Amino acid sequence: MAEDAQSQVEGESGKGSRKKLIIIIAIAALLLLGGGGAAAFFLLSGGEDATVEAVEPVRKEALYTKVRTLEGRPMFVVTLQSDDGQRHYMQAYVEAKSRDQEVVDALELHMPLVVARLNTLFSTQKFETLMTIEGKRALRQQAVETVQSIMQDKIGRPGVESILFTNLVMQ
């Protein structure tokens, strides 16, 4: 009887140790796979973030300058040429967009010249042309080129990105 009890204990401990060994091996394999996967994720994703940050350019904030006369009037009022013989008027509120404080300062310093050239440009326009979207776009592009020309002469670079008509009324 003692021998039977002894063999039973040895058989159960052999089966138990095998189960424990299998469980330990399975846990070790899971830890190795999980650790390897986590390491790969962190190593690969860290390299991509570094390249994305290096590629993105830094953009300065846009600065807007109201184009106004010496009296402080924020608008242009001009008589337009017309084929129908009637008088037509245009009132325009104009702002210059740039991204450099030096350009803003130069615009303010040379505002009388900017206003005079834009007045000349606006007063030579035809009413019928400005009634179309294409005519307004062309006028805006001409205004950009005029102001950029002035800035090129005064500070050595165009500086102004665009000219915006914040209000444009024609009658």
Side-chain angles (χ1 to χ4, degrees), residues 11-25:
E12 288 177 9
S13 67
K15 289 181 185 177
S17 64
R18 284 186 199 147
K19 286 183 184 178
K20 287 180 185 178
L21 183 62
I22 292 173
I23 290 173
I24 290 173
I25 291 173

Side-chain angles (χ1 to χ4, degrees), residues 37-54:
F41 173 77
F42 288 118
L43 290 175
L44 293 177
S45 67
E48 290 174 358
D49 288 343
T51 58
V52 170
E53 290 176 15

Side-chain angles (χ1 to χ4, degrees), residues 64-151:
Y64 298 95
T65 305
K66 291 185 185 308
V67 179
R68 35 178 92 232
T69 63
L70 290 177
E71 297 85 32
R73 291 188 351 202
M75 66 197 158
F76 292 86
V77 178
V78 295
T79 304
L80 298 173
Q81 298 176 6
S82 176
D83 291 335
D84 64 5
Q86 295 182 0
R87 287 189 182 210
H88 295 280
Y89 299 96
M90 179 180 78
Q91 178 185 37
Y93 288 77
V94 179
E95 291 196 29
K97 177 183 174 185
S98 66
R99 296 190 186 275
D100 188 356
Q101 186 60 43
E102 180 186 355
V103 175
V104 171
D105 296 340
L107 274 170
E108 290 173 0
L109 179 65
H110 301 290
M111 191 63 70
L113 179 60
V114 171
V115 169
R117 296 249 180 104
L118 288 177
N119 256 331
T120 302
L121 173 67
F122 295 156
S123 64
T124 59
Q125 301 300 307
K126 293 190 77 157
F127 177 73
E128 290 80 12
T129 305
L130 291 179
M131 291 302 291
T132 66
I133 296 293
E134 294 81 22
K136 289 179 181 118
R137 286 183 184 149
L139 177 62
R140 185 174 157 267
Q141 184 58 39
Q142 290 172 351
V144 169
E145 291 168 0
T146 300
V147 175
Q148 284 179 341
S149 163
I150 295 168
M151 290 297 103

